[in-house]
């Protein structure tokens, strides 16, 4: 008798919204090797970072059998999926993306896509954030995701790190390789843009991102510029372990007075 191999279960989320091209391209490409569930915001929530909705209820709408939209943040989406929708049959893997644009360097701190993956990590599951450094070749990023998932099938990812993947906006055959990188850094953002709305009220727009400051060899910025897929393992522990002793000594100065 032929043994049926159980399909991988993957939860997809994003910050560009449930109808975004990126997440739907990803779902289509992964459907042959995995059972896909999509839980994503009802609209664009880029820049939401790890925010949760605490002072109003989450409204969830079922769009299709395996597609739900949430009137909330990317973190809300993953939290709802894992603690309510899929509580009795958790996914094997969480993928956030494909993001419409890069998540490189310190931009990852603001990214709702990275936050969705991080929430999965917090809840004990292996998680990947994947972004296209542009808005054209989503199929390329989806093929990159497919390769990573196939690697996961052979040797499962651990839950100790979140993988932040950035894919150059080009055809798959134009990629020049893959590189494990560290996060680069930007200068601070440019000045805010002051404007006036139709009612004559003063409004402000956030300025453009700052220019690249640390973008040398080994960084995610550098890899993408060379048309390589950048994979940065992220850790969530923000503790500055090498400063614990120094801060302890600093506090002792005050207590000794």
């Amino acid at each position: 008798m032929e043994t049926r191999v159980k399909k991988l279960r993957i939860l997809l989320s994003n910050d560009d919204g449930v109808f975004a091209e990126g997440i739907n391209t990803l779902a289509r490409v992964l459907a042959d090797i995995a059972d896909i569930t999509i839980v994503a915001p009802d609209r664009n929530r880029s820049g939401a970072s790890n925010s949760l909705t605490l002072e109003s209820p989450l409204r969830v709408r079922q769009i299709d059998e395996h597609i739900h939209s949430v009137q909330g943040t990317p973190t809300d989406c993953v939290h709802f999926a894992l603690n309510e929708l899929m509580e009795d049959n958790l996914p094997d893997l969480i993928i956030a993306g494909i993001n419409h644009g890069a998540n490189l360097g310190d931009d990852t701190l603001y990214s709702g896509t990275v936050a969705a993956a991080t929430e999965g990590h917090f809840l004990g599951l292996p998680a990947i954030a994947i972004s296209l450094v542009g808005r054209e070749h989503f199929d390329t990023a989806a093929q990159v995701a497919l390769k990573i998932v196939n690697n996961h099938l052979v040797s499962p990812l651990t839950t100790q790190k979140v993988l932040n993947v950035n894919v150059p906006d080009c055809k798959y055959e134009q990629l020049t390789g893959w590189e494990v990188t560290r996060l680069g850094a930007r200068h601070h953002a440019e000045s805010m843009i002051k404007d006036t709305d139709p009612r004559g009220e003063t409004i402000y727009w956030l300025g453009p991102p700052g220019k690249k400051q640390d973008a040398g060899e080994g960084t995610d910025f550098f890899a993408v510029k060379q048309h390589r897929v950048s994979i940065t393992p992220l850790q969530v522990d923000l503790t500055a372990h090498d400063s614990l002793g120094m801060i302890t000594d600093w506090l002792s100065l005050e207590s000794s007075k």
Side-chain angles (χ1 to χ4, degrees), residues 7-175:
K7 259 190 171 182
L8 198 66
R9 286 173 52 81
I10 298 179
L11 170 65
L12 300 184
S13 193
N14 70 355
D15 68 2
D16 293 299
V18 70
F19 298 111
E21 182 178 357
I23 196 170
N24 286 285
T25 301
L26 185 58
R28 173 176 53 80
V29 169
L30 294 180
D32 287 341
I33 65 166
D35 291 326
I36 302 297
T37 298
I38 295 177
V39 182
D42 61 343
R43 61 192 185 278
N44 191 306
R45 296 302 301 264
S46 297
S49 190
N50 295 85
S51 59
L52 282 167
T53 301
L54 300 178
E55 296 188 3
S56 60
L58 296 180
R59 301 185 186 277
V60 179
R61 181 164 67 99
Q62 184 169 355
I63 295 173
D64 205 340
E65 182 180 2
H66 299 292
I67 303 175
H68 291 73
S69 74
V70 178
Q71 193 176 35
T73 68
T75 302
D76 290 330
C77 293
V78 175
H79 199 81
F80 163 76
L82 299 185
N83 288 296
E84 178 63 29
L85 182 66
M86 307 176 76
E87 182 181 16
D88 297 327
N89 195 7
L90 290 174
D92 302 296
L93 181 65
I94 294 171
I95 304 179
I98 302 166
N99 192 62
H100 293 209
N103 278 307
L104 299 164
D106 30 21
D107 295 343
T108 58
L109 294 173
Y110 305 100
S111 168
T113 297
V114 175
T118 302
E119 185 67 10
H121 166 80
F122 283 151
L123 297 174
L125 294 172
I128 300 165
I130 183 162
S131 304
L132 178 67
V133 187
R135 295 175 181 268
E136 184 176 353
H137 294 92
F138 287 102
D139 278 326
T140 299
Q143 290 301 320
V144 167
L146 178 61
K147 181 172 175 58
I148 291 173
V149 171
N150 280 325
N151 281 1
H152 174 72
L153 285 169
V154 174
S155 179
L157 290 165
T158 71
T159 59
Q160 297 175 353
K161 299 288 185 285
V162 175
L163 294 187
N164 184 41
V165 182
N166 281 275
V167 182
D169 193 12
C170 63
K171 294 180 180 179
Y172 189 84
E173 56 269 21
Q174 293 176 324
L175 294 173

Side-chain angles (χ1 to χ4, degrees), residues 185-200:
R186 296 184 185 275
H187 289 284
H188 64 79
E190 296 184 18
S191 299
M192 299 192 76
I193 301 166
K194 186 176 180 180
D195 204 346
T196 305
D197 71 10
R199 294 186 176 88

